Amino acid sequence: MFSGAQISLYPMADDFVGVILLALGALDPYRDRLRIETDDISTLLVGPPEVLFPAMRDLFVAAARSGEHVTFSAAISRGCPGEPDEAICNTSALADPLEPLAARQAAAHAAVASAAETGQAIAAQFSLYVMGTGQHMDEIYGCIDFLKGSCVFDRSKHFCSVLRGDAGPVFATLAEAFCRFGPPEGHVTIDLTVSANSPTAR
Amino acid sequence: MFSGAQISLYPMADDFVGVILLALGALDPYRDRLRIETDDISTLLVGPPEVLFPAMRDLFVAAARSGEHVTFSAAISRGCPGEPDEAICNTSALADPLEPLAARQAAAHAAVASAAETGQAIAAQFSLYVMGTGQHMDEIYGCIDFLKGSCVFDRSKHFCSVLRGDAGPVFATLAEAFCRFGPPEGHVTIDLTVSANSPTAR
């Protein structure tokens, strides 16, 4: 299995480089469990979901604490048929596909309920894509049902769902959406946008 | 059919609001052919691909001309089974699925070759997702073949492809990738990141 994300951090400030450099320290506790490569467009994180989502959360929270309006964009992927198997991606976080949707939704809710708060309020907007199956919408609707029951669900929009709340349960909800829906050997992706300190009224 | 995009423009500058407001004028020529709704995370554009891609190009180019480091993020979608049919999305831009891949690739190259230049250099990174079919990778590999032959192809990265060059042929290449691959009645999405004026060396 291969899993990871192409991520970008966007501070809306003249000193965007300073904000990014300061936030990067938040990745230090994860560096031995991730492969990290940076270029001018994005940073690649390769690793399992249980490392990936906490690392993205801590990076974004560190940037948001600058007080600047910051956003974060990620293309998160697992099981892409074009990618190699990589040992660093070994994971036990993916749900058993034989488990009924209702049981997977209950486990997802329990995981979100136990997520620690960070003290940082954020908004997140994302689309879940499940590929290589004729029934991809069953899994997506199952995930949307879970989201609507989540304490951080805000609303559905065209093409995506919006979460709002503390970064802890928001990123936990994203991780559960990614891991509990779509087969473990399947090709599942998330297109994610996260925002904090926006001056725009909701 | 329903098609459109959730888009966000990110100027890395203290005056990010000013840059965004100035760039928004570039959407004026398209407003009668798009439905547009804005909130604090993104702006929804609903309309056919032949309007959507030029509108996104002109918006981004206008922002890039500020000289600031600006990026643009879009979740572009057509044929999502959960969305309603909408007359404003009627299009003749989608390829005939009975046409062989080679013919569709040739038509895509011709369209890119005829794209007008804008004078603005950009980089674009994107993933194409084709859902609801067991053979989704055939269409994705067919698209990647087209991309590799495009004058603006830069390189493949994990999960995505990178284009570099003038915004005219780059956005034309994105539109061709979106319209010529995956069935016209299918669920096809693009996760797109565009960047200009980055201070990071490549």
Side-chain angles (χ1 to χ4, degrees):
Chain A
M1 222 266 293
F2 192 87
S3 60
Q6 294 283 0
I7 66 168
S8 304
L9 192 56
Y10 304 128
M12 257 53 75
D14 289 349
D15 183 31
F16 65 94
V17 174
V19 175
I20 292 172
L21 292 179
L22 205 69
L24 279 178
L27 289 181
D28 289 345
Y30 303 102
R31 285 185 186 274
D32 59 333
R33 287 168 292 163
L34 292 172
R35 182 155 66 81
I36 304 179
E37 295 168 13
T38 296
D39 64 27
D40 65 315
I41 308 180
S42 64
T43 291
L44 171 71
L45 306 180
V46 177
E50 57 267 46
V51 179
L52 212 51
F53 285 88
M56 294 192 294
R57 175 198 64 207
D58 290 358
L59 176 67
F60 184 72
V61 166
R65 289 204 170 121
S66 68
E68 303 289 353
H69 175 29
V70 289
T71 64
F72 173 86
S73 176
I76 312 166
S77 173
R78 64 174 168 90
C80 178
E83 305 284 0
D85 272 334
E86 200 152 321
I88 200 175
C89 300
N90 286 348
T91 177
S92 58
L94 304 181
D96 178 352
L98 298 178
E99 211 178 358
L101 261 180
R104 288 186 274 145
Q105 290 165 334
H109 282 303
V112 172
S114 72
E117 303 236 326
T118 65
Q120 178 65 51
I122 65 171
Q125 173 170 304
F126 76 108
S127 309
L128 176 76
Y129 302 125
V130 178
M131 274 155 290
T133 158
Q135 283 77 47
H136 73 297
M137 292 305 292
D138 294 350
E139 291 290 318
I140 290 174
Y141 289 138
C143 179
I144 291 173
D145 270 354
F146 152 64
L147 294 176
K148 287 185 172 169
S150 165
C151 56
V152 292
F153 182 74
D154 184 69
R155 65 195 178 101
S156 297
K157 287 167 62 173
H158 287 298
F159 317 130
C160 57
S161 300
V162 180
L163 308 178
R164 278 183 207 277
D166 186 276
V170 168
F171 272 90
T173 298
L174 293 167
E176 293 303 311
F178 188 68
C179 292
R180 303 263 183 199
F181 305 93
E185 76 287 3
H187 182 191
V188 175
T189 68
I190 279 181
D191 178 349
L192 171 66
T193 299
V194 187
S195 174
N197 310 325
S198 167
T200 305
R202 286 167 53 183
Chain B
M1 222 267 292
F2 191 88
S3 60
Q6 293 283 1
I7 66 169
S8 304
L9 191 57
Y10 304 127
M12 255 54 73
D14 289 350
D15 183 31
F16 64 95
V17 174
V19 174
I20 292 172
L21 292 178
L22 205 69
L24 280 177
L27 289 182
D28 289 346
Y30 303 101
R31 285 186 186 273
D32 59 334
R33 288 168 292 163
L34 291 172
R35 181 155 69 80
I36 303 179
E37 295 167 13
T38 295
D39 65 26
D40 65 316
I41 308 180
S42 64
T43 291
L44 171 71
L45 305 180
V46 177
E50 57 268 46
V51 179
L52 212 51
F53 284 89
M56 293 192 294
R57 174 197 65 207
D58 290 358
L59 175 67
F60 185 71
V61 167
R65 288 202 172 123
S66 68
E68 303 289 354
H69 174 31
V70 289
T71 64
F72 173 85
S73 176
I76 312 167
S77 174
R78 64 174 169 90
C80 178
E83 303 285 358
D85 272 336
E86 201 152 320
I88 201 174
C89 299
N90 286 348
T91 178
S92 56
L94 303 181
D96 178 353
L98 297 178
E99 211 178 359
L101 260 180
R104 288 186 273 146
Q105 290 166 332
H109 283 302
V112 172
S114 72
E117 302 235 328
T118 65
Q120 177 65 52
I122 66 172
Q125 173 169 305
F126 76 108
S127 309
L128 177 75
Y129 302 124
V130 177
M131 274 156 288
T133 158
Q135 283 79 47
H136 73 295
M137 291 306 292
D138 295 351
E139 290 289 318
I140 291 175
Y141 289 139
C143 178
I144 290 172
D145 270 353
F146 151 65
L147 294 176
K148 288 186 171 169
S150 166
C151 56
V152 292
F153 182 74
D154 184 69
R155 65 194 178 102
S156 297
K157 286 166 61 174
H158 286 299
F159 318 130
C160 57
S161 300
V162 180
L163 309 178
R164 279 183 206 277
D166 187 276
V170 167
F171 272 90
T173 298
L174 293 167
E176 295 302 311
F178 188 68
C179 292
R180 304 263 183 198
F181 305 91
E185 74 288 3
H187 183 191
V188 176
T189 68
I190 279 181
D191 179 348
L192 171 66
T193 300
V194 187
S195 174
N197 310 325
S198 168
T200 305
R202 283 166 54 181

